Amino acid sequence: MSFEGKVAIVTGAGSKRGIGKAIALCLAQKGADIVVADMNLEGAKEVAKEIEGLGRKAIAVEVNVTKESDVQQMVETTLKEFGKVDILVNNAGITQPVKTIDTTEADWDRIIAVNLKGTFLCSKAVLKPMMEQKYGRIVNISSVSGKRGGGVYGGSHYSAAKAGILGFAKALAREVVEYGITVNSVAPGLVDTDIRAGLPMEKERAIWETIPMKRPGSAMEIAETVAFLASDAASYITGEDIDVNGGSHMD
Ligand SMILES: NC(=O)c1ccc[n+]([C@@H]2O[C@H](COP(=O)([O-])OP(=O)(O)OC[C@H]3O[C@@H](n4cnc5c(N)ncnc54)[C@H](O)[C@@H]3O)[C@@H](O)[C@H]2O)c1
């Protein structure tokens, strides 16, 4: 699997132990140049430096994926620096462990905005350059929570956003198929990152017990599946979602 000559934008890639960082490194290890996009510019810069250490080109871009002007700027910067964009990974996301009865309107709007609206805005922003070059790979990070209905670490708003991503991806996949663009999603189960910072270890272990493989996934295990969907090995796959969850949900 080679990404030599390919340019990828990975959102939410500035987190030290995050899935986005693993995706950025994984694609770079396989030859891609990377736009490390995150609200956390310092974190993004560190990841970009690590990628340069691998001999690839990388830039860090500050973006809030819920703001269309930020997202457009991110894509413009990519085109200015690299001349094209081949791959978009919609990874930026947040969660909140809260019951529906305690979820405020502001909670709902925030979780939907980052996870779902962000995926829409970033995807929309890369469509024109991808359609013009008649090639593109969009890969979204959904969640097992969106497929089986919570039960890991997020409220119903998070499940709704992550399920919404899957519907959005299928609809977009049909729209852009004639332009050589594929749109797919990965639905991780529990992954060892900082998104659940603050979850007590006994609760974490109780979740492990519900997973047939009895452990969380690593960020790199998610990244390898994203890389597959972003590669030419997946050229006949679109509108699909792949579970990477140690067996915690099977369909
Ligand atoms: N870790 C898990 O167990 C797990 C499971 C299923 C799905 N996911 C999904 O994987 C993705 C990555 O999560 P992670 O576990 O690496 O979390 P993380 O908190 O380590 O990383 C998330 C990154 O997104 C960035 N971000 C947040 N809001 C943003 C915004 N508005 N604009 C731009 N960047 C923003 C953060 O700064 C951070 O760098 C998320 O979409 C998450 O929902 C995670």
Side-chain angles (χ1 to χ4, degrees), residues 152-200:
V152 181
Y153 190 67
S156 61
H157 48 2
Y158 182 70
S159 289
K162 292 302 192 183
I165 286 174
L166 300 179
F168 169 73
K170 288 179 201 297
L172 179 60
R174 283 182 200 279
E175 274 182 36
V176 297
V177 71
E178 66 189 278
Y179 297 97
I181 303 169
T182 66
V183 188
N184 292 291
S185 308
V186 173
L190 188 73
V191 184
D192 184 21
T193 73
D194 293 330
I195 203 169
R196 303 174 319 279
L199 183 71

Side-chain angles (χ1 to χ4, degrees), residues 103-126:
T103 302
T104 65
E105 186 179 357
D107 290 336
W108 178 272
D109 288 347
R110 193 166 45 91
I111 296 292
I112 299 290
V114 178
N115 293 288
L116 184 54
K117 181 181 167 187
T119 296
F120 153 65
L121 288 177
C122 294
S123 302
K124 181 184 168 193
V126 296

Side-chain angles (χ1 to χ4, degrees), residues 15 18-19 38-39 63-65 91 142 158 162 189 191 193 196:
S15 176
I19 293 171
D38 204 296
M39 236 164 61
V63 65
N64 178 345
V65 296
N91 166 79
S142 175
Y158 182 70
K162 292 302 192 183
V191 184
T193 73
R196 303 174 319 279

Side-chain angles (χ1 to χ4, degrees), residues 92-108:
I94 54 170
T95 189
Q96 180 192 25
V98 65
K99 298 265 189 253
T100 304
I101 197 163
D102 299 319
T103 302
T104 65
E105 186 179 357
D107 290 336
W108 178 272

